[in-house]
Amino acid sequence: MANTNMKPAQPAQPAQSANNQKRKIVIFSDFDGTICMQDTGHILVDAHGFGAKAREELEAKMKSGELNFRDASDEMWASLHVPFDDGFVLMEKSIDMDSGFAEFHQYCKANGIPFNIISAGLKPVLRRVLDTFLGAEESASIEIIANDANISQDGQVWKPVWRHDSVQGHDKDVSIMEGREIAENECEPDEMPLIVFIGDGVSDLAAARHADVLFARRGLRLEQYCTENNVPFIPFDSFADIKREIEAISQEDQKKTGGVGKPVRYNPRANLWRRISSKEAVPTLMAAATPSNEEKMFLWPETFSDYKQSQPETITE
């Protein structure tokens, strides 16, 4: 019997318009573990590939540094031998979607807030899940920024088409910077977009550090990392929580202008990172001789993990 969460959701009532917000809000979200409570790739590989034990061995090699994410993922997807449609028979029984996501999606549509998915997974898989859960028409309004895939008709070949030529395959930070640039070009000259990122794991940090507002799923690795390293974030249990916060942020943003009196939800490090990573800022950083601890953490988060402060800057209400 199919999981009832996979049935097309009934459209929610349009939320009160937020079109008079001070700045354009653009939302980017991870998918696996964030919108979908499970990992879609793991479900397919455990059932139709080399199984959970072999997958866990690959993950251990990634943690030890023996394999990078891209090479391990190539092995994982290559182990699949199932036609694309057949793979989703199990998916429909196994997947749980976040209980508040459908309503949140409707809220974004009603208020003209672009919602984008940034994922290290395969775009055809994610699109199929969204089509099944939201319906094809609603799904089509969501931009998916992920890796493509070559999947043979008989299902004997599953090969990722990586978005970037890097060990990650998809550099989420590059994608969110590209999204920010597009949003900035769509704004008036004296306006700046408000970039929101939603995630669950440490792998999301590369994209999250570019966001003005960061949501981390409660109890998972991204929240833990942000708490330990004093990264401002808002914890959430479901997208219903995020909807309430975005509504509050829109109201606050109407009262704030420029850099004066910014709400506590905003992430000052987003501006720091853009300043550090911009071409114009490189000579300035070099001239400074020694970056601060905070700058080091955001330049090299994988190797500089001991930077902690006594009070975590967790944002709750």
Side-chain angles (χ1 to χ4, degrees):
M1 182 176 180
N3 190 313
T4 56
N5 286 326
M6 289 298 294
K7 293 180 180 179
Q10 294 298 318
Q13 293 298 317
Q16 183 177 359
S17 177
N19 290 332
N20 60 343
Q21 64 212 20
K22 194 66 179 179
R23 286 191 281 176
K24 178 184 180 69
I25 295 177
V26 182
I27 300 177
F28 297 89
S29 177
D30 176 50
F31 189 82
D32 294 308
T34 303
I35 295 173
C36 175
M37 305 307 292
Q38 295 83 18
D39 187 296
T40 51
H42 291 179
I43 292 174
L44 288 170
V45 169
D46 291 357
H48 301 293
F50 50 33
K53 182 178 180 180
R55 174 178 59 76
E56 289 167 359
E57 290 174 355
L58 272 184
E59 291 173 353
K61 290 180 180 179
M62 281 195 293
K63 291 178 181 178
S64 69
E66 184 178 346
L67 277 178
N68 62 47
F69 176 83
R70 178 170 172 165
D71 290 342
S73 295
D74 275 331
E75 287 190 35
M76 184 184 78
W77 291 111
S79 76
L80 282 175
H81 300 292
V82 60
F84 186 79
D85 289 339
D86 293 352
F88 279 85
V89 174
L90 175 66
M91 295 280 277
E92 291 185 25
K93 299 177 182 178
S94 305
I95 285 181
D96 295 305
M97 302 294 287
D98 182 280
S99 59
F101 178 68
E103 183 176 354
F104 179 78
H105 169 62
Q106 287 297 320
Y107 167 78
C108 290
K109 285 187 63 179
N111 290 278
I113 299 175
F115 181 85
N116 312 271
I117 290 172
I118 291 184
S119 173
L122 301 186
K123 185 174 181 178
V125 174
L126 307 190
R127 180 63 72 191
R128 179 63 173 268
V129 173
L130 287 178
D131 287 351
T132 303
F133 177 63
L134 296 177
E137 184 176 350
E138 293 296 317
S139 168
S141 66
I142 298 176
E143 178 73 18
I144 298 178
I145 306 167
N147 305 298
D148 212 327
N150 288 327
I151 304 171
S152 64
Q153 188 172 359
D154 62 2
Q156 295 304 300
V157 176
W158 287 63
K159 182 175 177 57
V161 178
W162 298 107
R163 189 174 181 87
H164 297 124
D165 186 16
S166 69
V167 295
Q168 297 301 323
H170 179 193
D171 296 328
K172 294 183 179 181
D173 55 334
V174 174
S175 291
I176 200 169
M177 284 191 293
E178 291 172 348
R180 178 182 284 279
E181 183 177 356
I182 292 172
E184 288 177 352
N185 290 335
E186 293 174 347
C187 288
E188 297 296 328
D190 59 342
E191 295 178 348
M192 291 293 289
L194 182 69
I195 304 299
V196 175
F197 186 80
I198 307 165
D200 72 297
V202 173
S203 64
D204 295 322
L205 184 63
R209 64 191 176 204
H210 293 283
D212 300 302
V213 179
L214 169 62
F215 290 92
R217 185 172 284 283
R218 199 186 303 273
L220 297 182
R221 293 290 303 284
L222 182 59
E223 181 191 42
Q224 178 185 356
Y225 186 95
C226 291
T227 300
E228 292 175 349
N229 293 283
N230 203 36
V231 178
F233 73 98
I234 304 173
F236 75 96
D237 294 305
S238 82
F239 273 77
D241 302 328
I242 299 174
K243 177 177 176 290
R244 287 192 296 269
E245 291 290 345
I246 294 296
E247 289 173 331
I249 287 169
S250 295
Q251 293 172 4
E252 288 179 354
D253 208 39
Q254 294 174 37
K255 304 173 184 177
K256 315 296 178 182
T257 56
V260 180
K262 289 183 179 179
V264 294
R265 292 177 177 83
Y266 290 92
N267 177 15
R269 291 173 179 81
N271 286 323
L272 167 69
W273 180 256
R274 289 196 296 277
R275 186 173 70 250
I276 291 174
S277 60
S278 68
K279 294 180 180 178
E280 293 79 5
V282 170
T284 303
L285 180 61
M286 295 290 287
T290 305
S292 69
N293 280 349
E294 182 171 311
E295 288 169 340
K296 287 179 181 179
M297 186 182 77
F298 280 88
L299 282 168
W300 308 289
E302 295 81 7
T303 57
F304 194 84
S305 58
D306 295 330
Y307 176 51
K308 299 179 182 179
Q309 297 184 12
S310 58
Q311 296 295 323
E313 197 172 343
T314 305
I315 302 168
T316 57
E317 290 194 349

